[in-house]
Amino acid sequence: MMFYGGAFVTGALFILILIFFRNKPPSPPSQAQVLAANVLSDDDYCSSLRNIFANPSFTLLLITYGINTGSYYAIGTLLNPIVLYYFHDDQHNAGRIGLTLVVAGVAGSILSGIWLDKTKCYKLTTVAIYAMSCAGMFCFTWILPLNRIWIVFLCSGILGFFMTGYLPVGFEFAAELTFPESEGTSSGLLNASAQIFGIILTLGIRTMMQNLQNGMLAGNLTISSVLLLGVVGTLLIRSDLRRQSAQQARLSETLIKEEILSNGKTENSASI
């Protein structure tokens, strides 16, 4: 029944998208998008890929995004055996911890998007959320052996809040770094990186858990250490906010034109 329910919901959404979803908005949402549309009209996908991969800041973001999101995928996949290893036969709480991870992640995604929209502090927000994800994973690792289930719930909520909250921030930061290239291209590459790292980490951590004496601890520490490397890599990303710069330049150009037109009308009125 669960799979039938999922199929029904996704099918209904697909039909609604076909009926109501527009190809593009009636007018560009920003001055930067006007410029991007003009640039991309003469560009193709292969040249866009070359331009994106020639950007070292995006390449770093591609790796660090894959590490963070891939770690989240690995934790979500292996959460049940991790929890049951420390809390034997506690299937119900294992499921509830996973639910806590997801629900907190929904809140994190919404709030991080609002914060980023208000502040425009792309790199600072990315580094801060990444560091909190790393700290949350270290706490989750060391809290599990204490057998305090309520603390595990708390740590899993913090972990889900920041790791899922990183997703929209990463997409927006990538759009800034790669402007005026298509946001769909950069987003697709980030998703591909996340899947690759997710597969590698899931298989690697599962192998460690099954074959090492302290496999659970070793696996969690590995994810924590990988996230720490991701924090260092994120710090090395240069904050080249191309989309914001283009937006400001376009606005300045518009203001100058309006001022020239206004001065010209004033002069004509005075001469009359």
Side-chain angles (χ1 to χ4, degrees), residues 47-61:
S47 62
S48 179
L49 279 179
R50 286 195 297 269
N51 293 335
I52 287 175
F53 280 112
N55 186 335
S57 294
F58 176 78
T59 304
L60 262 178
L61 180 63

Side-chain angles (χ1 to χ4, degrees), residues 62-140:
L62 186 68
I63 296 170
T64 55
Y65 182 93
I67 289 173
N68 191 304
T69 311
S71 297
Y72 179 75
Y73 292 162
I75 294 166
T77 304
L78 302 172
L79 184 63
N80 198 58
I82 291 174
V83 173
L84 293 179
Y85 178 81
Y86 293 100
F87 301 92
H88 304 291
D89 300 323
D90 202 351
Q91 294 277 359
H92 293 294
N93 274 330
R96 291 178 186 130
I97 290 171
L99 179 63
T100 303
L101 201 73
V102 173
V103 172
V106 172
S109 295
I110 295 171
L111 293 177
S112 63
I114 294 172
W115 168 262
L116 197 63
D117 186 57
K118 296 293 184 183
T119 63
K120 308 297 183 185
C121 298
Y122 290 89
K123 181 173 179 178
L124 179 61
T125 303
T126 305
V127 172
I129 293 179
Y130 214 126
M132 291 303 297
S133 300
C134 181
M137 188 62 210
F138 272 110
C139 290
F140 186 76

